[in-house]
Amino acid sequence: MTRLDAVLDHVDANLDASLDRLFELIRIPSVSTEPQYAPDCRRAATWLADQLAGLEFDASVRDTAGHPMVVAHGPATPGPHVLFYGHYDVQPVDPLALWTTPPFEPSLAPQPDGETFILGRGASDDKGQLLTFIEACRAFKAVTGALPIRVSMLFEGEEEAGSPSLGPFLEANAADLKADTILVCDTDMWDRDTPAITTMWRGFVSEEFTITAGDRDLHSGMFGSAARNAVQLLGTIIGKLRNDDGSVAIPGFYDGVTELPEAIKAQWARLPFDSEKFLTDVGLSVPAGETGRSVLEQVWARPTAEVHGVWGGYSGDGFKTVIPAQASAKLSFRLVAGQDPDRIRTIFREFVQSLLPADCTVSFRAYASAPAEMMPLDGELLTKARAALTTEWNREAALAGTGGSIPILGEFKRRLGMDSLLIGFARFDNRIHSPNEKYDLSSFHKGIRSWVRILAAFGDKA
Amino acid sequence: MTRLDAVLDHVDANLDASLDRLFELIRIPSVSTEPQYAPDCRRAATWLADQLAGLEFDASVRDTAGHPMVVAHGPATPGPHVLFYGHYDVQPVDPLALWTTPPFEPSLAPQPDGETFILGRGASDDKGQLLTFIEACRAFKAVTGALPIRVSMLFEGEEEAGSPSLGPFLEANAADLKADTILVCDTDMWDRDTPAITTMWRGFVSEEFTITAGDRDLHSGMFGSAARNAVQLLGTIIGKLRNDDGSVAIPGFYDGVTELPEAIKAQWARLPFDSEKFLTDVGLSVPAGETGRSVLEQVWARPTAEVHGVWGGYSGDGFKTVIPAQASAKLSFRLVAGQDPDRIRTIFREFVQSLLPADCTVSFRAYASAPAEMMPLDGELLTKARAALTTEWNREAALAGTGGSIPILGEFKRRLGMDSLLIGFARFDNRIHSPNEKYDLSSFHKGIRSWVRILAAFGDKA
């Protein structure tokens, strides 16, 4: 029996212990966007550092202006040096009423099709996913006493908050964090049977803005129709953000946007993808994106504008016939290659200003932004990883895109010239950022096995 | 010295005591739309009943399905019998942060121009106004031992909540409440020097609706642009409610709407009204109503649609890149003569349905409604009241309209054939329904004196 088979057997034999550790981590409510959970974010960081110290990593919790980082280094060995990146923070859980189990009390839910769901906030994004890599390292240590290559790890606690501290931290610790490539486990499989390596992702620009009309709320009986209504004005602006054909209406928004490379287009066309099911699985059936674009293009290769929340006027019990003086919205733009986030922020603000009557004002609050990225498709490590995944899943690994944004990897690319390998085992129905988030037990189990194979392949002399 | 002068002198000499009673009433936080204030609403009703019993009225607090009513009858006398109607409930106080004094701790604020503001929620709407009538009755009792005509009173505690209990109560107590006419003190002066009798007011229809797109909130990275966004859809619908020219865009909305009678138009044209100041006083300058209509027409004689509040998606700290599955709004329509509230509700719902993509749904919640009303301009009591006001203010009393709605008076008209005399001493800058509501001390003082003159005039044989 080969060393590799022994490590894989160890993974299979110790899956319950791996699962117990995942449950421990999910029980820590490390919501990064809500200040009251700051101590829990630190607990999650400490938990990770302790786990890695137990695997003889040189692991430490590092303070930042926000939630702490975890940095861990394995012993130096010949061959490639990889830096695994993940995030221990999770999304808020509201609306809590829609959860069928408490979000921070993980549980297993066997499914009719034989799959078992791991339920809980962060089960998939990103606690379950990052543990697949740590558990793979644990198995190697247990069976062989060492890892086949040099491995470092970096975990942040602000990914769901736009990673405000990561840029500065990276700047201050560039030498310490430099490696040959970055490994990330925060993405989806192609489908439940087909593994995927994500080679392109969208950028984003996030904004909050508040419209002010008049200097006080007014009585709609006394002023109704003559006085400007801030909520109505906000609605008008939101309604004009996108055209009836689903495209974004801001002048100049598509400047610099190019068509998808033919190679990618062709490969995507070969992949099994049921765009109807993609929508019906979440209760929808009419694609809302640009007319004439496939759903895959809409979510991976095309930019968009999405409003994440609105508030203004009276929303309490009963009724209040007020003309609100203020109304606010949070929104973000998803960007593709060729779009400059700062420019998009500027033309969005000009667009809003252009829709304001002379007696109304708007204030903007800038949140995080990041450009889109596209990784080279011909690197040695990507080739080895793709082969390893193909072996484990017995299905050719897809080279995919993602509509999401992973700003920090753009930072690594620009600051340290490091490319990224995005290999994740989540499925598109994992309900991340939504109530009843889940991770498939098979994703967790075969994810650990996949990383074992990838680490072994990286260690082989080519 | 005439009996009338003696009563007026008594009013002047006892103004401080009248003011103390107003402060007592304002200190009771009788917010009718927020359930936690229900006990305070009952306290306000009991306070009124006690005051009237002290004036030898047959006064009682009557339970309803909602907040209680107060009914009081003075002794039967020859001549006209009037029913004075008012409401002891007040609007919610949010946003509390914008109040410069605590809303339920009334105070006097002397102004540079010599006026003094009575500050507090309800100081104007309607506690200060309804007390002008009670204090006028008190003065008559004190000086002459009796009122010059038969007076009954009815106070409700749900006016700011759409008066849900008043229709049924009126139905059940028709005989007990029947009188020759209804007196109401819940309206404005024409300006600080010119008294007014309001002879027309708008109706209204109030609705709440919730848009649902998909069966869960989604991650905008994973689904952004392809998945329908409920908040964006809500914005589109709100944005399409009114046309760029300020008119309401719902098909058929203006069916049955007629132009203002020439007599009214001519009288309004003669009245001093600074439409620019009307808007600049509340921080606005661009009329938002129908192009080509005067501001007076826009707020008194034309129907409109106003959104009172919106909510949906994430509005907490930080940022959440979610595609909201639900979004809601509260809105109302102000109606004029010729518009049927039920029909307006129906065509609004059809309008919203017509804007929904096939995979989205909407649920509606109906709140109160009432048609517009227009009172005859040639009645004997109106003529006497107008003359009395003209004497007290030394300025011809205007016959005005109001953009507000007073549904119960339409009920009295339809159920009991009683017309209404709307005589109020509020000013348009009283900030009712807004933070820092105020009532001018001169409104309170001369308001009491005005009712003394009106009651005396009603008592004179014509």
Side-chain angles (χ1 to χ4, degrees):
Chain A
M1 163 158 153
T2 67
R3 190 184 72 158
L4 174 57
D5 292 330
V7 177
L8 293 171
D9 289 348
H10 182 89
V11 169
D12 301 345
N14 294 275
L15 183 61
D16 287 351
S18 298
L19 209 46
D20 290 342
R21 284 183 284 269
L22 174 55
F23 277 27
E24 271 184 44
L25 183 55
I26 293 173
R27 288 194 191 97
I28 304 172
S30 46
V31 178
S32 54
T33 55
E34 296 178 7
Q36 68 268 34
Y37 293 109
D40 300 299
C41 290
R42 180 168 294 275
R43 274 173 57 216
T46 305
W47 187 91
L48 282 169
D50 292 347
Q51 293 294 320
L52 295 170
L55 299 177
E56 288 165 30
F57 275 74
D58 170 12
S60 57
V61 172
R62 311 272 191 92
D63 288 339
T64 72
H67 302 304
M69 305 281 172
V70 177
V71 176
H73 294 297
T77 62
H81 175 200
V82 299
L83 174 67
F84 182 85
Y85 161 84
H87 64 93
Y88 61 77
D89 64 317
V90 298
Q91 280 274 321
V93 297
D94 57 279
L96 188 57
L98 298 186
W99 287 77
T100 55
T101 64
F104 298 113
E105 294 172 27
S107 59
L108 293 178
Q111 302 299 305
D113 65 0
E115 184 57 78
T116 296
F117 290 170
I118 304 167
L119 295 172
R121 171 58 87 220
S124 175
D125 179 17
D126 184 39
K127 291 173 173 177
Q129 299 242 69
L130 69 86
L131 267 186
T132 59
F133 187 81
I134 293 176
E135 292 302 301
C137 294
R138 185 187 304 277
F140 258 109
K141 284 284 298 180
V143 174
T144 73
L147 297 179
I149 58 168
R150 180 167 196 206
V151 172
S152 296
M153 301 195 202
L154 170 64
F155 298 104
E156 72 158 308
E158 301 179 321
E159 199 270 349
E160 304 295 2
S163 303
S165 304
L166 257 172
F169 187 81
L170 190 50
E171 198 66 57
N173 300 274
D176 189 28
L177 297 172
K178 174 73 172 137
D180 299 316
T181 198
I182 305 160
L183 302 181
V184 182
C185 190
D186 197 16
T187 49
D188 283 6
M189 305 248 303
W190 179 266
D191 59 32
R192 58 178 305 115
D193 306 310
T194 315
I197 300 176
T198 302
T199 61
M200 59 185 285
W201 55 90
R202 291 193 291 192
F204 73 100
V205 173
S206 38
E207 284 263 297
E208 179 176 318
F209 69 103
T210 297
I211 301 291
T212 300
D215 59 18
R216 74 197 70 157
D217 288 353
L218 300 170
H219 180 215
S220 70
M222 197 175 302
F223 289 89
S225 107
R228 189 71 54 182
N229 182 316
V231 167
Q232 251 151 314
L233 185 52
L234 181 77
T236 303
I237 291 167
I238 290 172
K240 290 186 174 179
L241 255 184
R242 282 168 70 170
N243 299 308
D244 293 346
D245 66 3
S247 61
V248 175
I250 297 171
F253 184 76
Y254 291 95
D255 293 357
V257 175
T258 55
E259 286 299 316
L260 205 56
E262 280 312 318
I264 297 278
K265 242 184 192 158
Q267 201 241 157
W268 287 2
R270 282 201 311 277
L271 288 165
F273 178 74
D274 183 341
S275 60
E276 208 168 288
K277 187 171 184 306
F278 178 78
L279 290 175
T280 53
D281 280 345
V282 294
L284 295 168
S285 62
V286 183
E290 292 166 274
T291 312
R293 302 276 181 182
S294 74
V295 168
L296 264 194
E297 272 189 287
Q298 288 179 9
V299 296
W300 285 359
R302 299 296 298 176
T304 185
E306 296 292 344
V307 180
H308 306 304
V310 287
W311 62 101
Y314 186 72
S315 58
D317 289 339
F319 216 80
K320 186 176 178 184
T321 54
V322 69
I323 298 178
Q326 287 204 321
S328 304
K330 291 179 195 267
L331 82 167
S332 74
F333 299 91
R334 295 283 172 175
L335 311 181
V336 298
Q339 291 181 300
D340 169 33
D342 296 339
R343 181 177 160 279
I344 295 296
R345 197 187 296 279
T346 300
I347 63 177
F348 161 69
R349 292 180 173 190
E350 290 168 352
F351 176 76
V352 173
Q353 292 282 8
S354 73
L355 295 174
L356 290 187
D359 56 353
C360 297
T361 59
V362 58
S363 64
F364 296 97
R365 179 175 177 184
Y367 282 86
S369 69
E373 300 290 341
M374 203 173 222
M375 293 295 135
L377 305 180
D378 52 9
E380 179 196 343
L381 293 182
L382 181 143
T383 308
K384 285 183 167 179
R386 196 176 184 190
L389 286 167
T390 302
T391 306
E392 172 62 26
W393 295 86
N394 195 27
R395 198 65 87 86
E396 190 191 24
L399 297 181
T402 174
S405 308
I406 312 166
I408 180 59
L409 302 183
E411 297 282 306
F412 274 100
K413 173 88 177 172
R414 275 182 301 284
R415 294 173 194 256
L416 301 179
M418 294 167 70
D419 284 331
S420 312
L421 267 174
L422 276 56
I423 299 168
F425 307 99
R427 291 169 187 164
F428 82 98
D429 65 351
N430 279 8
R431 299 191 285 263
I432 70 170
H433 293 212
S434 299
N436 306 311
E437 177 176 352
K438 63 92 174 171
Y439 196 46
D440 296 79
L441 182 56
S442 61
S443 293
F444 187 61
H445 182 190
K446 288 176 72 66
I448 299 171
R449 290 175 53 95
S450 297
W451 284 119
V452 166
R453 292 186 187 277
I454 291 166
L455 288 171
F458 285 177
D460 295 340
K461 306 288 159 286
Chain B
M1 164 156 146
T2 68
R3 189 185 70 157
L4 174 57
D5 291 331
V7 178
L8 292 172
D9 289 349
H10 182 89
V11 169
D12 300 344
N14 293 273
L15 183 60
D16 286 351
S18 298
L19 208 45
D20 290 343
R21 283 183 285 268
L22 174 55
F23 277 27
E24 269 183 45
L25 183 53
I26 293 173
R27 286 191 192 99
I28 304 173
S30 46
V31 178
S32 54
T33 56
E34 296 177 7
Q36 69 269 32
Y37 293 109
D40 300 298
C41 289
R42 179 168 295 275
R43 273 172 58 217
T46 306
W47 186 92
L48 282 168
D50 292 347
Q51 292 294 321
L52 295 170
L55 298 179
E56 290 165 27
F57 275 74
D58 170 10
S60 57
V61 173
R62 311 273 190 94
D63 287 340
T64 71
H67 301 304
M69 306 279 173
V70 177
V71 176
H73 294 296
T77 62
H81 174 199
V82 299
L83 174 68
F84 182 85
Y85 161 84
H87 65 92
Y88 62 77
D89 63 318
V90 297
Q91 280 276 321
V93 297
D94 56 279
L96 188 57
L98 298 186
W99 286 77
T100 55
T101 64
F104 299 113
E105 295 173 25
S107 59
L108 293 179
Q111 301 300 305
D113 65 1
E115 183 58 78
T116 295
F117 289 169
I118 304 167
L119 294 173
R121 170 59 87 224
S124 175
D125 178 18
D126 184 38
K127 290 173 172 177
Q129 299 240 68
L130 69 86
L131 268 186
T132 58
F133 187 81
I134 293 176
E135 293 302 300
C137 295
R138 184 187 305 276
F140 259 110
K141 285 281 298 179
V143 174
T144 73
L147 297 179
I149 59 168
R150 180 167 196 205
V151 173
S152 296
M153 301 196 201
L154 170 65
F155 298 104
E156 72 158 306
E158 301 179 321
E159 198 269 349
E160 303 295 2
S163 303
S165 304
L166 256 172
F169 186 81
L170 191 50
E171 198 66 57
N173 301 275
D176 189 28
L177 297 172
K178 174 74 172 138
D180 299 316
T181 198
I182 305 161
L183 303 181
V184 181
C185 190
D186 197 15
T187 49
D188 284 5
M189 307 249 301
W190 178 267
D191 60 30
R192 60 178 305 116
D193 307 309
T194 314
I197 301 176
T198 301
T199 60
M200 59 185 284
W201 55 91
R202 293 192 290 191
F204 73 99
V205 173
S206 39
E207 283 265 294
E208 179 176 320
F209 68 103
T210 297
I211 300 291
T212 300
D215 59 18
R216 74 198 66 158
D217 288 353
L218 300 170
H219 180 213
S220 71
M222 198 175 302
F223 289 88
S225 106
R228 189 71 53 182
N229 182 318
V231 167
Q232 252 152 313
L233 184 52
L234 181 77
T236 302
I237 291 165
I238 290 173
K240 291 186 173 180
L241 256 184
R242 282 168 70 169
N243 300 308
D244 293 345
D245 66 2
S247 62
V248 176
I250 298 171
F253 184 77
Y254 291 95
D255 293 358
V257 175
T258 55
E259 287 298 317
L260 205 56
E262 280 311 320
I264 297 277
K265 245 186 190 155
Q267 201 241 156
W268 287 2
R270 283 201 310 275
L271 288 165
F273 178 74
D274 183 341
S275 61
E276 208 168 287
K277 187 171 186 306
F278 178 77
L279 290 176
T280 53
D281 280 343
V282 293
L284 294 168
S285 62
V286 182
E290 293 167 89
T291 313
R293 302 277 180 181
S294 73
V295 169
L296 262 194
E297 270 190 288
Q298 289 179 10
V299 297
W300 285 358
R302 299 297 296 176
T304 185
E306 297 292 344
V307 180
H308 307 303
V310 287
W311 62 101
Y314 185 72
S315 57
D317 289 340
F319 216 81
K320 186 176 178 185
T321 55
V322 70
I323 299 178
Q326 288 203 322
S328 305
K330 291 178 195 268
L331 82 167
S332 74
F333 299 91
R334 296 283 172 175
L335 310 181
V336 298
Q339 291 181 300
D340 169 33
D342 296 338
R343 182 178 160 278
I344 294 297
R345 195 187 296 278
T346 300
I347 62 176
F348 162 69
R349 292 180 174 191
E350 291 168 352
F351 176 75
V352 173
Q353 292 282 6
S354 73
L355 295 174
L356 291 187
D359 56 353
C360 297
T361 59
V362 58
S363 64
F364 296 97
R365 178 173 174 184
Y367 282 86
S369 70
E373 301 289 340
M374 202 174 226
M375 293 295 137
L377 305 180
D378 51 9
E380 178 196 344
L381 294 183
L382 180 143
T383 308
K384 286 182 167 178
R386 196 177 184 189
L389 286 168
T390 301
T391 306
E392 172 62 24
W393 295 86
N394 195 27
R395 199 63 89 85
E396 189 191 26
L399 297 181
T402 173
S405 307
I406 314 165
I408 182 59
L409 302 183
E411 297 282 307
F412 275 101
K413 173 89 179 170
R414 276 182 301 284
R415 295 172 194 256
L416 301 178
M418 294 167 69
D419 284 331
S420 312
L421 269 173
L422 275 56
I423 299 168
F425 307 99
R427 291 168 188 167
F428 82 97
D429 65 351
N430 279 8
R431 297 190 287 262
I432 70 169
H433 294 214
S434 299
N436 306 311
E437 179 176 351
K438 63 92 173 169
Y439 196 46
D440 297 78
L441 182 55
S442 62
S443 292
F444 188 59
H445 182 191
K446 289 176 71 65
I448 299 170
R449 290 174 53 95
S450 297
W451 284 120
V452 166
R453 291 187 187 275
I454 291 166
L455 289 170
F458 285 178
D460 295 340
K461 306 287 160 286

